[in-house]
Amino acid sequence: MTGRAPNNGRLKQETDQDIRHMYSEGEYKDFNLKKQGEGKFWAAVPNPNEKDAAKRESCTRLPFWVKNGERPDDVENAISPEILSKLAYAQITVPETRVELNPKDKQTVNLPTWVWLDKGRYRPLSVKASVDLGGGEEIWARTTVTPDSLKLDPGTENATVHPESGECAIKGDGSIGSPYKKGSGKKAPPCGVTYLRATQGGGTYTLSSTLTWKASWEGSDGAGENDLPTGEFGGQQDVTVQEIQSIN
């Protein structure tokens, strides 16, 4: 605003004069020093993660005074629990999607591969964002993302996915899929793949797994009314499938 670029010349002088007048002799007297501790100036802050430069720099309003404990509800884009929920959402980092398999190493034609996620690693994650309004008041929002379902793509048409949709839902205990239990034999797993043809010439199939995370938020004004976008995060694992020869 004050034209720090060296070639800003005349614009810098005009901007400096306007700002000095507004905060020293105009709307505010001596930068509101007599009201120190009674409130604070609110100012536009560009979001460094916004890729659209026009959006990032769209708020040109000069800093303005707000009493402690109050918030400027009549100002467009003034910070709010909804905005804080989105800022918190942007700070959540989920773990890389990597499924557990049984058999762990080589898979076998027509033998189900059991797939599941480590429940301890894939659990709900939360981030809280808040702003101190002064006077013991604050606005805040807490955003939570929760694993919801796992989508499997075996990497070949010569395979059957379990369930048939290829989408494994989260269970009541928060887990997705189940580890193989001894004695299950050729029983269809709740989440998994059955390969119907072996990989050839030392090649592999690429098993893709996409984990969907549902997002929700609550704030100082109550539960969030606006939904946050669902996130999808995928991972890939190379799978070797062997064919066991039998003699009749």
Side-chain angles (χ1 to χ4, degrees):
M1 294 295 299
T2 55
R4 292 193 179 113
N7 60 351
N8 222 12
R10 186 174 177 181
L11 178 61
K12 170 177 167 38
Q13 293 179 352
E14 293 176 356
T15 305
D16 282 352
Q17 289 173 1
D18 289 344
I19 290 178
R20 278 200 302 270
H21 175 74
M22 180 176 180
Y23 297 102
S24 61
E25 303 167 2
E27 182 177 350
Y28 304 104
K29 306 299 181 184
D30 196 19
F31 298 90
N32 265 7
L33 279 177
K34 288 186 177 180
K35 295 184 178 181
Q36 185 172 357
E38 298 176 19
K40 58 187 69 179
F41 282 101
W42 286 53
V45 180
N47 181 355
N49 297 320
E50 174 57 64
K51 296 179 181 179
D52 187 327
K55 283 185 179 181
R56 191 170 60 244
E57 305 293 340
S58 61
C59 186
T60 58
R61 179 165 176 169
L62 291 172
F64 56 94
W65 179 263
V66 180
K67 289 182 180 179
N68 281 338
E70 297 182 2
R71 52 174 139 161
D73 293 327
D74 60 332
V75 178
E76 185 180 8
N77 290 330
I79 202 76
S80 65
E82 183 180 349
I83 291 175
L84 290 172
S85 74
K86 295 176 181 178
L87 293 172
Y89 178 86
Q91 296 302 315
I92 296 178
T93 301
V94 301
E96 176 188 5
T97 303
R98 186 171 181 83
V99 296
E100 301 290 335
L101 305 177
N102 190 300
K104 186 174 182 180
D105 299 318
K106 289 185 178 182
Q107 311 307 312
T108 301
V109 170
N110 293 326
L111 182 67
T113 299
W114 290 58
V115 176
W116 71 95
L117 289 175
D118 180 355
K119 187 168 58 174
R121 177 174 169 82
Y122 300 92
R123 62 187 188 280
L125 301 170
S126 295
V127 168
K128 179 182 177 183
S130 63
V131 171
D132 180 12
L133 298 179
E137 298 291 328
E138 73 169 6
I139 54 175
W140 59 269
R142 180 182 290 104
T143 297
T144 302
V145 296
T146 305
D148 183 62
S149 64
L150 181 71
K151 185 81 172 180
L152 297 178
D153 181 346
T156 173
E157 295 180 354
N158 298 305
T160 301
V161 290
H162 311 284
E164 190 175 346
S165 65
E167 189 166 336
C168 308
I170 191 167
K171 295 188 289 189
D173 62 359
S175 64
I176 296 179
S178 298
Y180 173 82
K181 292 182 178 179
K182 189 174 180 179
S184 295
K186 292 188 176 181
K187 189 185 299 182
C191 183
V193 179
T194 299
Y195 286 100
L196 307 177
R197 181 173 294 180
T199 49
Q200 303 296 319
T204 60
Y205 296 132
T206 300
L207 173 64
S208 299
S209 49
T210 303
L211 183 59
T212 298
W213 295 76
K214 275 193 172 181
S216 61
W217 66 277
E218 59 177 346
S220 47
D221 291 346
E225 296 181 359
N226 298 66
D227 291 334
L228 292 166
T230 296
E232 292 186 345
F233 299 87
Q236 294 183 332
Q237 292 162 248
D238 290 333
V239 175
T240 301
V241 182
Q242 63 185 350
E243 186 165 13
I244 297 179
Q245 302 293 332
S246 60
I247 300 175
N248 293 329

